[in-house]
Amino acid sequence: MATLEGTGRLSGVRPGLLDRERIIATAGFNRWLVPPAALCIHLCIGMAYGFSVFWLPLSRAVGLSAPKVCGDMTIIQELFTTTCDWRVASMGWMYTLFFVLLGASAAIWGGWLERVGPRKAGFVSAVCWSGGLVLGAIGIYTHQLWLLWLGSGVIGGIGLGLGYISPVSTLVKWFPDRRGMATGMAIMGFGGGAMIGAPLANMLMNYFKTPTDVGVWQTFLVMGLIYFVFMTIGAFAYRITPPNWRP
């Protein structure tokens, strides 16, 4: 007969695919398999540092050869205009959204991550980060700056926060004897994301660019798909330490 465990889950019931109980490492698991999983996520969300490659093409998305300026628009008017190009300074607010939401989501859902495990948190991060890019692509296609802010900035920023803390939390538990190295590996991936993502974005924009389109919304879609695949691989490759485990 099934009994209630401390987790509130019925014993004897097979845990779900994303559940914490599903990813407890078995005896003999090699902890060095965890850093590549963490890098899969951090190299993707690290593209937040490389978003500036989009600002120049987007600043002439309407004018194409040169920005189409419509006088002294307020930021509110700029959020909804479909006939004027966006100012680089207005798009730069994305960085503020990214890193405010990174800290806020890490603080708000940090406890939830510890309860549900890094696989579920990593997968939710993949959905938010990649889904934000898709919504951002719709915003670029319809030339609605508010949609770009909401998609890539807010929703993507939440994914950024969850994707940032899940690898760090997992690596520190696997490497209590090398905490500095474990944290460094995670930060290396986050900082290196732009080094890979920015050249990829430039390559894709050049591929999709036409005389009537700067090729940015297509690039958002393709990168969203690529990042979703790699972040999901990373999330599903996570394993957590069994009780009383020591290196």
Side-chain angles (χ1 to χ4, degrees):
M1 182 176 177
T3 58
L4 287 174
E5 295 180 332
T7 58
R9 191 178 299 279
L10 288 174
S11 63
V13 178
R14 184 174 175 82
L17 195 60
L18 297 176
D19 287 345
R20 189 178 191 276
E21 295 81 0
R22 189 71 173 261
I23 60 172
I24 298 174
T26 55
F29 177 79
N30 186 348
R31 65 177 177 169
W32 289 97
L33 296 176
V34 179
L39 284 174
C40 275
I41 292 184
H42 266 193
L43 285 172
C44 294
I45 62 174
M47 180 53 190
Y49 283 121
F51 257 62
S52 57
V53 299
F54 300 121
W55 299 163
L56 182 59
L58 285 176
S59 70
R60 55 174 189 249
V62 176
L64 298 175
S65 59
K68 184 178 179 182
V69 181
C70 298
D72 295 326
M73 282 193 303
T74 65
I75 188 63
I76 301 300
Q77 291 171 322
E78 199 169 5
L79 286 172
F80 300 99
T81 182
T82 58
T83 57
C84 306
D85 276 314
W86 304 324
R87 291 170 291 197
V88 171
S90 300
M91 291 181 284
W93 276 94
M94 292 285 290
Y95 287 119
T96 302
L97 291 171
F98 277 150
F99 296 109
V100 167
L101 268 297
L102 185 157
S105 58
I108 292 170
W109 289 296
W112 173 78
L113 161 65
E114 296 300 324
R115 291 194 304 274
V116 304
R119 175 180 287 186
K120 183 175 287 187
F123 184 72
V124 172
S125 169
V127 171
C128 290
W129 179 247
S130 302
L133 285 172
V134 172
L135 188 55
I138 296 172
I140 295 167
Y141 181 77
T142 58
H143 202 69
Q144 291 290 294
L145 183 58
W146 70 271
L147 264 180
L148 180 62
W149 281 10
L150 174 64
S152 295
V154 176
I155 298 174
I158 293 171
L160 184 64
L162 290 173
Y164 185 85
I165 59 174
S166 61
V168 173
S169 170
T170 308
L171 285 171
V172 167
K173 290 182 176 66
W174 275 110
F175 294 90
D177 53 332
R178 302 179 180 182
R179 289 177 177 270
M181 184 202 69
T183 307
M185 284 191 292
I187 302 305
M188 174 188 71
F190 188 59
M195 185 173 67
I196 296 172
L200 173 63
N202 277 321
M203 183 186 73
L204 289 171
M205 285 188 290
N206 287 330
Y207 177 79
F208 289 117
K209 184 169 60 177
T210 68
T212 59
D213 196 308
V214 293
V216 180
W217 72 266
Q218 301 94 325
T219 299
F220 267 52
L221 283 179
V222 172
M223 293 186 76
L225 176 61
I226 293 172
Y227 286 157
F228 181 76
V229 170
F230 277 94
M231 292 176 73
T232 301
I233 291 172
F236 275 77
Y238 278 143
R239 295 294 181 272
I240 60 175
T241 56
N244 303 316
W245 178 86
R246 292 292 182 274

